[in-house]
Amino acid sequence: MATPADCTAAVQQYTTQVQPNIDRVAQMSGRMDAAMSSMGQMMGADMECGSGVMQHELAHHLGIACTSPDMAANRVEATRHVQAMQEFADHMRMRADEVGTMMGSGGMMGGGMGMGGGTGPAMMDGGWVMPDGGTIPFDHTMPGCTYADGGFHSDGGSPTAGGTDGGSAQ
């Protein structure tokens, strides 16, 4: 991204690719949460909240992407957003794999939710191996979501905008 026009074109291309995936996750998340709850895994029923966090993060990014006359600042925002979305996508992939494993199938989302890669194998101690080799424990909660009153609720706002990492995979 050398110019504002390059930046805008990149954001438009990105949005065209990522929005359908986020919409797909949102459509499936309620069923996945219901499956987790029916198996007594209330703390794993964070997919609906998580899809909302992802939608909010995308909207936040689109509201500020390429608005700075300083291209370095625009690149910093793009990097921040990509890191946040990767963390969210890894959590959602882990949760999809967990649900699929509990149901005795290869996963409900087939191919890692269409988000660029398949689900990782479960570890013997109850965690998930990410495509980059890192791990996420199954008790990891979605950044930006809090469990209260029998379910997950968005903390409000983007858990990563403004400099916090919103939690991290281990």
Side-chain angles (χ1 to χ4, degrees), residues 2 12 22 24 26 53 56 58 60 107 110 114 131 150 165:
Q12 289 172 344
I22 293 173
R24 183 172 174 221
V53 168
H56 186 272
L58 179 61
H60 173 78
D165 73 354

Side-chain angles (χ1 to χ4, degrees), residues 66-155:
C66 306
T67 58
S68 175
D70 177 7
M71 289 308 298
N74 291 328
R75 284 189 291 276
V76 166
E77 166 52 22
T79 299
R80 183 209 60 79
H81 172 71
V82 167
Q83 289 171 342
M85 292 300 277
Q86 184 64 57
E87 180 179 2
F88 302 154
D90 286 343
H91 177 86
M92 300 296 257
R93 286 183 188 123
M94 176 273 299
R95 202 58 87 206
D97 188 64
E98 180 181 22
V99 170
T101 298
M102 292 176 77
M103 295 179 77
S105 70
M108 291 179 67
M109 300 193 125
M113 302 185 322
M115 292 183 149
T119 57
M123 297 182 329
M124 295 300 287
D125 65 355
W128 183 76
V129 179
M130 296 183 292
D132 70 0
T135 60
I136 301 176
F138 285 136
D139 64 353
H140 179 263
T141 57
M142 179 71 173
C145 295
T146 300
Y147 187 81
D149 301 324
F152 279 92
H153 308 279
S154 174
D155 294 343

